[in-house]
Amino acid sequence: MRTQVVIIGGGPSGLLLSQLLLKAGIESVVLERKTRAYVLSRIRAGILEQGMVGLMREAGVSARMDAEGFVHDGTLLATENTTFRIDFARHTGTSVMVYGQTEVTRDLYDAREAAGGAIVYETEGVTIHDPKTDAPYVTYVTGGTEHRIDCDYIAGCDGFHGVSRGTIPASVRREYEKVYPFGWLGILSETPPVDDELIYASSERGFALCSMRNAHLSRYYVQCPLTDTPEDWSDDAFWDELKRRIPEEAAERLVTGPSIERSIAPLRSFVTEPMQWGRLFLCGDAAHIVPPTGAKGLNTAASDIHYLYHALRDHYLDGSEEGIARYSERALARVWKAERFSWWMTTLLHHFPDQTPFDLKMQQAELAFLRDNEAAQKAMAENYVGLPY
Ligand code: FAS
Ligand code: PHB
């Protein structure tokens, strides 16, 4: 079999790239090791930057997002004794879209399948061959039979635990990592959101986040020790802890209910350089991870896809090689800014076990400066809605 671009991974990165390439008349095949149902069962991101919203529209898959998504012009930050708002619209002239990653992925799967796009599910043993030549190929097994796809380019969109990053020799790769000493316990509940906007709460007991998916589906998180498991927390214990960490008036109006999903995500910052090796390009979690505090994981995957899509389109349609040659440089320039913002928000809002009294005073001073300073709020707003591509 032959195609122009093999895309490894049928998560949001891989599916968005395949759909954009399709719109440009460029052939691709998506190889996904799980089933569609399994991919859609993972509850992850909830906030889309303007850039991601624009890519969904450019890919022609934005109808449901525009109909059902919530446009948010700001967010609330709460500490022990004060709550203040970051006004995205006033500081940046734009907003974010609240629309779950699950729905993004569903829309992309539906579009791909409606267009007869090639997605191979339940692939095993995906292996990348000869990425440093002008004739790379990928082999994989399905149903006990090995297959080979010859191609021009390979997009490694297979997430943190995929095979693409490891295809780049360890002697070439430079990896940067910070592991945080806590995780996020998240629940999904069929209850109305506690507020019209998100509430990021920092308390001496730890961080909490009140988010949502729609008017009847809420997403909540509390910072928890890395040693905890979801089973360690009853629903009642979760709600009691959340109420202790959010502002009193929010706690009083919080509508609780049974969790329909409960999971713990570890927090880490991670980047691998370079993001390309010959004709292999890494995108999304395959190349970088951020703590979810700044809602940058999915959105930074989207900017990688923007750069790679334009590079491939310029190559195939205009014969230009600059985007291909500079993909890693361009993607990483924005990746590191997202890493910084995610690290900054995580450091600002979480309780660190080894925090000294001085550290705590610095955290409180940073929050007070953000509360009182227009320039600081503008900087946060510009990062949160998404820096330009
Ligand atoms: P993904 O990991 O989503 O997709 C990779 C795909 O590749 C998967 O479907 C996988 O099955 C497939 N794959 C892997 N290896 C393969 C192989 N060898 N062959 C074929 N296919 C293979 N981001 C936020 O912004 N906010 C959040 O709240 C948030 N919460 C998160 C919670 C968790 C538990 C995790 C893990 C991540 C979270 N993220 C969050 C980040 C997340 O949204 C990612 O940034 C986003 O899924 C990135 O998309 P992809 O790069 O497509 O990677
Ligand atoms: C979510 O709704 O899952 C969400 C929102 C904002 C974040 C992280 C997660 O910063």
Side-chain angles (χ1 to χ4, degrees), residues 8-14 31-34 39 42-46 101 123 126 157-163 184 221 265 283-286 292 295-299 301:
I8 303 173
S13 296
L31 304 179
E32 168 52 51
R33 74 176 168 188
K34 300 291 188 183
V39 175
R42 297 185 303 224
I43 305 299
R44 292 193 175 162
Q101 176 174 321
T123 54
V126 169
C157 301
D158 46 352
F160 188 66
H161 302 291
V163 296
W184 278 17
Y221 298 95
C283 309
D285 279 17
K296 291 294 165 227
L298 175 58
N299 291 301

Side-chain angles (χ1 to χ4, degrees), residues 204-389:
E204 62 184 9
R205 298 180 66 89
F207 170 80
L209 172 60
C210 302
S211 185
M212 62 196 74
R213 291 293 178 269
N214 60 49
H216 313 290
L217 194 59
S218 295
R219 180 74 168 160
Y220 294 103
Y221 298 95
V222 294
Q223 172 186 345
C224 67
L226 279 174
T227 49
D228 280 8
T229 68
E231 294 68 37
D232 292 333
W233 290 75
S234 67
D235 284 349
D236 287 346
F238 179 90
W239 293 121
D240 290 345
E241 189 59 35
L242 180 71
K243 287 178 183 174
R244 292 188 194 105
R245 299 187 187 185
I246 61 178
E248 267 183 41
E249 76 277 4
E252 283 163 8
R253 65 173 182 268
L254 179 70
V255 177
T256 65
S259 61
I260 58 174
E261 191 273 352
R262 194 183 320 152
S263 53
I264 290 181
L267 272 63
R268 84 172 72 231
S269 300
F270 175 86
V271 180
T272 195
E273 293 184 350
M275 285 177 57
Q276 73 189 89
W277 177 243
R279 289 175 176 245
L280 168 63
F281 303 93
L282 303 184
C283 309
D285 279 17
H288 43 74
I289 296 285
V290 286
T293 323
K296 291 294 165 227
L298 175 58
N299 291 301
T300 309
S303 55
D304 294 346
I305 296 306
H306 165 85
Y307 295 121
L308 184 54
Y309 161 59
H310 281 278
L312 292 168
R313 193 182 68 175
D314 293 352
H315 162 75
Y316 282 112
L317 304 189
D318 306 332
S320 162
E321 298 308 315
E322 187 188 5
I324 292 278
R326 297 185 61 194
Y327 165 75
S328 182
E329 169 202 339
R330 285 173 172 167
L332 282 166
R334 194 177 185 278
V335 162
W336 279 113
K337 292 173 183 155
E339 291 284 343
R340 182 209 68 83
F341 178 67
S342 304
W343 161 82
W344 173 78
M345 266 193 86
T346 303
T347 306
L348 177 69
L349 297 170
H350 288 75
H351 176 76
F352 286 72
D354 60 353
Q355 209 160 16
T356 67
F358 179 81
D359 295 336
L360 189 57
K361 280 295 184 185
M362 286 299 99
Q363 209 175 36
Q364 291 165 350
E366 181 83 21
L367 272 165
F369 180 69
L370 182 61
R371 180 193 63 214
D372 302 339
N373 185 280
E374 278 284 290
Q377 292 196 14
K378 181 175 173 63
M380 178 176 168
E382 288 179 348
N383 279 277
Y384 197 94
V385 300
L387 297 176
Y389 287 170

Side-chain angles (χ1 to χ4, degrees), residues 74-119:
T75 190
L76 298 171
L77 288 170
T79 64
E80 301 298 346
N81 49 16
T82 179
T83 298
F84 59 97
R85 182 170 185 266
I86 304 294
D87 189 334
F88 304 146
R90 182 163 67 84
H91 289 299
T92 71
T94 187
S95 55
V96 294
M97 177 78 81
V98 176
Y99 189 67
Q101 176 174 321
T102 303
E103 303 319 312
V104 166
T105 310
R106 192 191 316 280
D107 294 340
L108 286 164
Y109 268 129
D110 289 347
R112 182 95 186 132
E113 289 166 359
I119 303 179

